[in-house]
Amino acid sequence: MKIVVTGVAGFIGSNIVDAYIERGHEVHILDDLSTGQRRNLNPKAEFHEVDIAHPHAARLIEGIKPDVLNHHAAQMDVRHSVADPTFDARVNILGFINLLEGSKNSGVKKVIFASSGGAVYGEQDVFPAAEDHPTRPASPYGVSKRAGELYLSYYQQAFALPYIALRYANVYGPRQSAKGEAGVVAIFLSLLSTGKTPVINGDGGQTRDYVYVGDVVAANVAALDSTFVGPVNIGTGVETDVVTIFRHLREAVGSPIEAQHGPAKPGEQRHSCVDAGLAAQVLNWRPQMILDEGLRRTAEFYRETVGR
Ligand SMILES: NC(=O)c1ccc[n+]([C@@H]2O[C@H](COP(=O)([O-])OP(=O)(O)OC[C@H]3O[C@@H](n4cnc5c(N)ncnc54)[C@H](O)[C@@H]3O)[C@@H](O)[C@H]2O)c1
């Protein structure tokens, strides 16, 4: 297949590109390198350095005429989306519409979209949340992810453009950056690997559903061949608290450092967890990685790359 992937210098997108290339697909990759790293670009893919919100990005898609658009580029810093919702919407909403406009008349047969379970459901009524759980995004970032899903639904109805929106839980694994408002795994590992003391916000009893990037890649591979249209949760259905994550990482790194507890973050969601039963049905997807092994592999990656 001919596939365009966006956000390919980042954490998840770059891992997906490697898997698509390995499977023999022709892959064109788009990124503006605003937060991504050039070293994550797969040399076997055709790289286009472009801002997804620029008209040139839409023209690129019209020229490439891919079978699939896999969209992972995003402004993904929740706090930044609160501080500057206009910038967030420019990248995450207008940038995505620009790519959809480029796709609708280019023979694109499917759009795969990186959505977010935690961000679109907001405070959950039930645990884990299935896809029919009410969506109450609690940040402009969450609103932009939900808006992306609604635009996909519109393009599917109006232009028969099929899509699958993968609502990820908290993704962790090799290549996750510790900069900005990163995941707790990346932040703790970068501190532990350099002998610094991590700070746990509040009591550390906040829980998240941690899914390994290799499993997320497998969902993006399965999505290529699926005929399902709509949102699908990608997570483990298991909640793990921050204190437990810290203990696993400390052991994986072999560090004697103890975390300190700081003040709780006001407004932080206490619990979040998604039900991936639909993914098992429509993608034949189930998470394979067990948490302590996934964290060990991630720690290994940090050990090898720290200081690079
Ligand atoms: N990491 C998670 O836990 C998680 C959870 C749910 C959803 N997601 C979604 O998955 C996707 C990938 O996340 P990630 O963790 O790999 O993020 P990342 O920040 O590592 O990668 C994002 C990439 O997008 C690029 N980018 C940003 N703005 C751009 C623009 N205007 N034009 C072109 N490229 C641009 C960046 O340079 C970067 O390489 C995002 O859409 C994110 O919202 C991530």
Side-chain angles (χ1 to χ4, degrees):
M1 276 184 209
K2 201 196 272 191
I3 309 172
V4 165
V5 189
T6 70
V8 292
F11 163 44
I12 303 172
S14 65
N15 280 291
I16 293 169
V17 171
D18 293 352
Y20 284 173
I21 294 273
E22 236 170 67
R23 281 161 182 76
H25 296 296
E26 177 184 336
V27 186
H28 293 252
I29 56 178
L30 270 60
D31 202 294
D32 68 352
L33 301 177
S34 53
T35 62
Q37 304 287 324
R38 198 174 274 278
R39 66 166 180 260
N40 290 338
L41 300 175
N42 188 311
K44 293 191 180 135
E46 178 101 9
F47 176 50
H48 307 270
E49 187 173 341
V50 66
D51 173 0
I52 54 161
H54 192 280
H56 182 58
R59 287 198 295 273
L60 258 174
I61 292 182
E62 283 160 13
I64 295 167
K65 300 196 185 314
D67 300 301
V68 174
L69 168 68
N70 181 314
H71 181 49
H72 275 72
Q75 183 309 108
M76 63 156 301
D77 184 331
V78 174
R79 253 181 290 183
H80 189 58
S81 82
V82 174
D84 191 350
T86 308
F87 176 75
D88 182 85
R90 180 191 168 274
V91 177
N92 292 356
I93 301 180
L94 297 181
F96 189 34
I97 295 173
N98 188 40
L99 300 179
L100 290 173
E101 281 295 294
S103 300
K104 77 177 189 204
N105 299 319
S106 308
V108 174
K109 296 180 190 75
K110 182 183 300 175
V111 179
I112 300 172
F113 174 59
S115 186
S116 165
V120 301
Y121 297 126
E123 287 296 342
Q124 289 176 218
D125 300 333
V126 286
F127 297 86
E131 288 79 359
D132 59 1
H133 187 283
T135 54
R136 291 185 288 255
S139 67
Y141 168 75
V143 171
S144 76
K145 287 288 163 189
R146 183 68 187 123
E149 295 182 352
L150 293 171
Y151 275 102
L152 282 166
S153 167
Y154 161 70
Y155 275 81
Q156 199 261 329
Q157 292 171 65
F159 308 107
L161 181 58
Y163 75 94
I164 186 159
L166 300 174
R167 289 180 175 168
Y168 301 148
N170 277 55
V171 188
Y172 74 96
R175 294 192 190 148
Q176 186 166 28
S177 165
K179 291 190 194 131
E181 196 182 346
V184 72
V185 173
I187 293 173
F188 285 176
L189 276 177
S190 80
L191 292 170
L192 286 173
S193 314
T194 50
K196 297 190 187 110
T197 303
V199 175
I200 292 174
N201 299 324
D203 66 358
Q206 326 63 319
T207 63
R208 297 289 180 269
D209 177 344
Y210 293 92
V211 63
Y212 188 65
V213 69
D215 284 328
V216 167
V217 167
N220 279 270
V221 170
L224 292 176
D225 298 321
S226 162
T227 52
F228 179 80
V229 171
V232 181
N233 289 337
I234 299 296
T236 66
V238 176
E239 291 177 56
T240 307
D241 66 47
V242 177
V243 169
T244 305
I245 291 286
F246 176 75
R247 284 207 196 108
H248 278 299
L249 292 176
R250 187 171 172 264
E251 197 181 302
V253 172
S255 167
I257 295 172
E258 285 292 353
Q260 285 176 359
H261 286 262
K265 260 206 257 172
E268 187 185 15
Q269 209 168 324
R270 186 74 182 161
H271 302 292
S272 163
C273 184
V274 301
D275 177 344
L278 181 64
Q281 278 174 45
V282 301
L283 297 176
N284 196 21
W285 179 92
R286 286 166 193 84
Q288 301 296 317
M289 182 60 76
I290 49 168
L291 185 67
D292 59 352
E293 172 62 12
L295 293 175
R296 204 192 53 71
R297 288 195 198 179
T298 312
E300 184 75 36
F301 169 82
Y302 270 82
R303 202 174 4 253
E304 284 164 8
T305 58
V306 78
R308 268 217 276 150

